[in-house]
Amino acid sequence: MKFSGANFAVLLVDEYNLIASLAESATMGKEAITQQTNPFGVGSEGHTPIGVEKGVLNVGGGFFDPTTDALHNVTGTVVGISRIVSAAIEGNTIGKHFIGFEGPYSQKYEVTDQKDGLTKANVTYLVSGDVNEGVIVQDLATFTADWDTKTGGAGATDAPVDYTLDPVNRSIPIASATKASPCVVTTDVAHGLTTGQKVLIAGNSLTGAVINGDRAVTVLTPTTFSVAVDTTGSGGAGTGGTMVLSSTVAGGVGYFHCTALTTTNLVYKQMHSADDITYAALITYATLTAAGKERKTVTGTIDRYLSSNGDVTGAGSVTVFSGLCRN
């Protein structure tokens, strides 16, 4: 993948923000590491994945300030330290995509020019380990008091992340919906659902007791499921419409970075909600008294909406970023 310098808006390594002030290009890729496994003497070469992924990020012609980017203070390579990396690849905006990495980290830093306190360099960041793609729950921002991106406060806006609007969440066409109790829905292609999961149905032609809206499903076959709606009565079966996932059931991974903290402490949570009204803690990260970072897994259901919640104690400010990757 290749992104412009403008889109590659945040590059966090642990508690450091290494993004260039201006970059000519930014590229990113990931691959599964393999080892050669063909028997000795066999002419054709064979490779088998070993269960490790590698993420590579390249910044070409970037201008860096080594007085604030601590990992860029030394020209050369930082090798072997396990770090947590988050790259905002579509801009520093809540709901946009980011890539998260955790594992042994190395950095190649090639200086090409220095001027007015800035260093122009080509930089390659390499992480071997876990690679996840998800959405930004909290854009990189500074707060001086408690905040929540659902209710606002301390400079936060009302900006929960709605999973049904994620372009990665594919829309599946509906072929038909029965007049029955419960209503049975047939999709044009395999739906990939799990019983108990929720979907958002839109555009189906059933009248009377409609099935459009957020519905929990019971899986019947790879292309059919039922929803707990009694659609019996006058009129014919419904046709058309689409469905998208509004919850996931396989857990996920959260990424959290605090690049600066001058308050007494910070308790940070990623919240989730099925209805954008009642929210509960999805991931509660370790209490911080200084800048820090954490990658944390969660199991089970992740609801449709996500929000960012910070509980600040004491005067001062905190600067944070977080993202969530659904499995």
Side-chain angles (χ1 to χ4, degrees):
M1 298 181 227
K2 188 170 184 176
F3 306 90
S4 71
N7 287 339
F8 214 125
V10 174
L11 176 58
L12 299 169
V13 179
D14 290 348
E15 61 268 36
Y16 305 106
N17 184 10
L18 303 189
I19 196 63
S21 299
L22 179 68
E24 296 168 355
S25 67
T27 61
M28 184 194 66
K30 69 175 182 178
E31 63 180 85
I33 299 175
T34 63
Q35 64 180 4
Q36 188 172 342
T37 54
N38 55 289
F40 180 74
V42 174
S44 59
E45 189 173 292
H47 291 263
T48 302
I50 61 173
V52 176
E53 289 185 302
K54 177 174 68 175
V56 181
L57 299 97
N58 294 286
V59 176
F63 285 90
F64 300 92
D65 183 353
T67 63
T68 58
D69 295 343
L71 291 184
H72 287 162
N73 274 333
V74 180
T75 301
T77 305
V78 181
V79 179
I81 299 173
S82 182
R83 298 190 185 275
I84 297 172
V85 179
S86 292
I89 57 179
E90 296 178 341
N92 183 34
T93 304
I94 292 174
K96 294 296 187 180
H97 287 142
F98 86 106
I99 304 292
F101 309 84
E102 183 183 36
Y105 169 92
S106 62
Q107 169 185 303
K108 184 178 180 181
Y109 191 59
E110 178 188 10
V111 175
T112 61
D113 194 12
Q114 291 182 317
K115 185 177 181 181
D116 297 330
L118 294 177
T119 298
K120 185 177 183 181
N122 300 318
V123 188
T124 298
Y125 310 93
L126 175 64
V127 183
S128 299
D130 295 305
V131 183
N132 310 102
E133 181 174 353
V135 294
I136 297 172
V137 179
Q138 175 61 65
D139 58 330
L140 185 65
T142 300
F143 301 96
T144 58
D146 298 350
W147 80 94
D148 192 309
T149 56
K150 168 58 186 97
T151 58
T157 56
D158 185 350
V161 180
D162 184 347
Y163 183 49
T164 67
L165 302 179
D166 190 336
V168 173
N169 186 3
R170 67 187 180 115
S171 175
I172 297 176
I174 293 173
S176 64
T178 63
K179 300 290 284 186
S181 180
C183 177
V184 175
V185 179
T186 300
T187 56
D188 285 336
V189 296
H191 50 63
L193 297 172
T194 299
T195 293
Q197 200 162 9
K198 288 186 176 181
V199 298
L200 179 64
I201 299 173
N204 187 262
S205 67
L206 267 174
T207 57
V210 299
I211 62 170
N212 293 328
D214 224 350
R215 305 292 182 188
V217 308
T218 298
V219 172
L220 303 175
T221 73
T223 57
T224 62
F225 60 88
S226 66
V227 295
V229 180
D230 183 353
T231 58
T232 57
S234 61
T239 59
T242 59
M243 53 145 281
V244 294
L245 298 180
S246 58
S247 73
T248 51
V249 295
V253 183
Y255 285 79
F256 171 58
H257 302 259
C258 178
T259 62
L261 188 154
T262 60
T263 62
T264 304
N265 62 46
L266 168 67
V267 177
Y268 180 76
K269 302 175 184 177
Q270 290 172 337
M271 314 288 286
H272 68 152
S273 170
D275 57 10
D276 196 25
I277 298 173
T278 303
Y279 279 78
L282 175 65
I283 301 177
T284 301
Y285 294 89
T287 300
L288 292 181
T289 57
K293 81 290 182 185
E294 188 175 359
R295 177 183 182 272
K296 196 167 185 177
T297 60
V298 62
T299 59
T301 297
I302 300 177
D303 288 328
R304 174 176 173 177
Y305 298 96
L306 300 172
S307 71
S308 168
N309 179 281
D311 185 351
V312 177
T313 300
S317 65
V318 297
T319 302
V320 299
F321 173 94
S322 83
L324 183 83
C325 312
R326 296 174 186 255
N327 293 332

